[in-house]
Amino acid sequence: MINNVAFPKKQRLIRYLNSLCFFIVVAFGLSPDAMAAQSPATKIKQLSIIDAGAIGDGTTLNTHVLQETINQLAAQGGGTMVVPAGRFLTGAIFLKPGVNLNLETNAVLLGSTNIADYPAMPTRIEGHTQIWRPALLNADHCDYLRITGCGTIQGGGKSFWDAFWNRYKADKTTKNLDVDRPRNVFIENSKDVLISGISLRDSGFWNLHLYRCQDLTVENMDIRTPTHSPSTDGIDVDSCQRVTIRGCYISVDDDNIAMKGTKGPLADEDKDSPPVEHIRIYDCSFGLGHGVLTLGSEACRVRDVVMENCQVEGVWNKDCLARLKLRPDTQQYYQDIHFRNITLNGHGTLVSIEPWMQVFDLKGLAAPMQRVNNVTFENITGNATSFGRIDGPTNSVIRDILFKDIGLTVTDTNVVVRKVGNLKLVNTRINGTLLTPDRLGLARHSERIADGDTN
């Protein structure tokens, strides 16, 4: 029960305190909104790392400051960490749910060249999870994540590449993961993610690795590494669904965009690697690269991938528009892969669908099958070194391959197409000459060619 005598006194006290607060506001020139913004309980929408104490001189290590900024934003319900102009040296940092990142013009998150600044931990890499190094920027279970701006994430690059090449020169059996190297960005287990406008440079390993993500958009990015930068894939789409990549420029010393999953004779049973499916790539340009779009080398099930309205300006003979790697130790299903409206302006090949023998292990089990079904190439023109090859492993089944409205000028006119069922050639010309099943010698090898228009 309210005390009827005391209650009026409480009202008078409240009125007095309110009047005092108003006097303070007037006396010190503070608005009520400004006072509210200074309240510890008020959510900070954006927090500049400069205000948190970061130093952008390119030499001061800011890992702790950046991580504390992320932690503070996460603790108060989320917000955006803002990186202003400057070169902010850092080791591995980890975004948290609700925390976004904005890189302003001339902002650089500069990766440390000290591998100790990337503490080893369990991470997804090359089709499985093992103790290895995290990326420079990491995000796990960060639904609705936004990484935006005009700035750059620049890895420690050369020091890690040199470490790999030095070991490789001493031991030619050296594999990718024998030398620890951080990726630039690793995002996993996240939905509704947008990465827009930023640049990636000089990654020690893969540039942008996406694992078990859904409904993710990568747009208007600029991703580059120079020659002799091993394993610097541009974008690795690993066990993801509904991914859009648009308006990007990618020039790297490995695959430009790779569809990845798992590997090995039991890959089809791996519950940690759902199919890669419903991928759209359009309005992109590509420079250096081993494969503009590569399926593998770790991939089990990939389906419904469309690349269209793109330009390829590669200058290496190892460049390839479509590289479908078939592992003899992995049961693979590649289906509904489509290339449309592509201009080639350089060297390299149109297509490679053949065994990938670099590293494999049957673990004493029988060799599994590889299936490739419904791959189409339509309206592809320009210059290349050669048409390429389609020639799968012994256990492979490759069928329903369409080439339509192809016009290429090549320096090597050799075309290898073997063991393909239902191959269709419609208005496909190499150096102006119509490509037909007879010219390929398919009849001599008893490959099944569908009846239909080959003109």
Side-chain angles (χ1 to χ4, degrees):
M1 177 178 293
I2 298 176
N3 188 314
N4 290 328
V5 176
F7 185 68
K9 293 181 179 179
K10 290 181 180 179
Q11 286 184 317
R12 288 194 295 271
L13 178 60
I14 291 171
R15 285 197 298 268
Y16 171 76
L17 292 175
N18 286 339
S19 298
L20 181 61
C21 288
F22 179 77
F23 172 78
I24 293 173
V25 169
V26 173
F28 291 93
L30 296 174
S31 69
D33 289 341
M35 289 189 65
Q38 295 182 22
S39 170
T42 301
K43 180 177 177 180
I44 302 171
K45 298 296 185 181
Q46 292 189 340
L47 184 57
S48 169
I49 61 173
I50 288 286
D51 295 337
I55 300 174
D57 59 3
T59 58
T60 302
L61 190 65
N62 294 284
T63 312
H64 178 73
V65 173
L66 269 59
Q67 192 61 57
E68 284 301 307
T69 303
I70 294 168
N71 296 347
Q72 179 182 347
L73 287 167
Q76 54 96 54
T80 299
M81 180 170 75
V82 177
V83 181
R87 295 174 62 82
F88 297 91
L89 183 67
T90 180
I93 56 175
F94 300 83
L95 295 175
K96 294 188 174 182
V99 179
N100 298 318
L101 173 65
N102 181 259
L103 297 163
E104 295 184 340
T105 302
N106 297 324
V108 179
L109 279 182
L110 182 63
S112 168
T113 58
N114 183 355
I115 195 63
D117 291 326
Y118 309 84
M121 61 184 63
T123 189
R124 170 80 173 192
I125 197 72
E126 287 199 349
H128 65 284
T129 297
Q130 71 170 62
I131 301 296
W132 213 57
R133 302 292 171 164
L136 173 58
L137 178 68
N138 304 268
D140 185 12
H141 288 95
C142 291
D143 294 352
Y144 317 113
L145 173 64
R146 301 293 184 261
I147 300 175
T148 58
C150 300
T152 300
I153 296 176
Q154 181 175 338
K158 191 175 185 303
S159 64
F160 301 117
W161 308 332
D162 288 348
F164 175 83
W165 287 126
N166 289 338
R167 176 160 175 173
Y168 183 79
K169 289 175 184 177
D171 179 4
K172 292 299 189 294
T173 66
T174 298
K175 301 178 181 63
N176 276 339
L177 303 186
D178 290 340
V179 179
D180 289 354
R181 291 171 285 161
R183 293 153 286 182
N184 265 353
V185 181
F186 178 41
I187 301 173
E188 59 181 324
N189 303 310
S190 301
K191 299 177 182 178
D192 190 359
V193 174
L194 173 66
I195 308 173
S196 180
I198 69 170
S199 297
L200 300 182
R201 295 286 187 272
D202 297 346
S203 185
F205 199 67
W206 299 345
N207 273 274
L208 173 59
H209 182 191
L210 312 170
Y211 173 56
R212 290 181 65 98
C213 293
Q214 297 85 41
D215 303 304
L216 187 147
T217 298
V218 177
E219 64 179 16
N220 304 324
M221 290 188 68
D222 187 309
I223 302 175
R224 307 188 196 204
T225 56
T227 57
H228 306 296
S229 54
S231 307
T232 51
D233 292 7
I235 302 174
D236 289 285
V237 181
D238 181 355
S239 310
C240 296
Q241 300 78 45
R242 300 182 300 281
V243 176
T244 297
I245 300 170
R246 63 191 180 207
C248 295
Y249 177 78
I250 304 175
S251 180
V252 294
D253 192 0
D254 211 316
D255 297 320
N256 299 102
I257 300 175
M259 306 291 107
K260 289 187 173 289
T262 187
K263 60 185 177 181
L266 302 177
D268 204 33
E269 303 174 13
D270 187 351
K271 304 303 182 184
D272 292 326
S273 185
V276 177
E277 56 187 355
H278 312 313
I279 312 299
R280 299 293 180 266
I281 304 163
Y282 60 91
D283 296 339
C284 292
S285 298
F286 303 93
L288 302 176
H290 296 192
V292 174
L293 177 63
T294 295
L295 277 57
S297 45
E298 310 85 32
C300 180
R301 290 164 288 170
V302 180
R303 54 188 178 230
D304 186 23
V305 180
V306 178
M307 172 178 280
E308 58 187 346
N309 304 329
C310 293
Q311 294 183 337
V312 182
E313 301 172 352
V315 295
W316 288 350
N317 288 336
K318 58 186 174 182
D319 291 345
C320 182
L321 173 63
R323 189 180 299 277
L324 280 61
K325 296 180 178 179
L326 303 180
R327 291 182 64 115
D329 64 347
T330 302
Q331 187 160 306
Q332 293 174 307
Y333 307 86
Y334 296 161
Q335 64 187 59
D336 303 329
I337 315 297
H338 306 290
F339 299 83
R340 298 193 290 256
N341 306 327
I342 310 291
T343 301
L344 306 181
N345 185 23
H347 298 272
T349 60
L350 173 65
V351 58
S352 168
I353 304 176
E354 52 190 320
W356 188 80
M357 307 289 289
Q358 186 173 334
V359 179
F360 68 95
D361 183 3
L362 287 169
K363 302 184 184 300
L365 301 175
M369 291 189 66
Q370 298 80 36
R371 294 179 173 87
V372 178
N373 182 55
N374 191 24
V375 179
T376 66
F377 299 82
E378 297 186 60
N379 192 27
I380 298 175
T381 60
N383 305 309
T385 299
S386 68
F387 179 90
R389 339 177 24 104
I390 302 176
D391 188 7
T394 302
N395 285 352
S396 66
V397 175
I398 303 173
R399 62 171 297 108
D400 301 331
I401 311 296
L402 169 67
F403 295 91
K404 180 180 179 182
D405 297 332
I406 309 297
L408 292 179
T409 299
V410 303
T411 55
D412 180 356
T413 58
N414 187 42
V415 177
V416 177
V417 178
R418 301 191 180 101
K419 300 190 293 290
V420 178
N422 193 23
L423 173 70
K424 293 184 179 180
L425 300 167
V426 180
N427 190 30
T428 296
R429 298 177 182 274
I430 303 298
N431 291 351
T433 301
L434 193 67
L435 192 63
T436 65
D438 287 342
R439 184 183 171 201
L440 294 178
L442 292 172
R444 294 195 300 272
H445 294 89
S446 301
E447 281 81 6
R448 293 164 293 170
I449 306 302
D451 293 334
D453 182 14
T454 59
N455 295 311

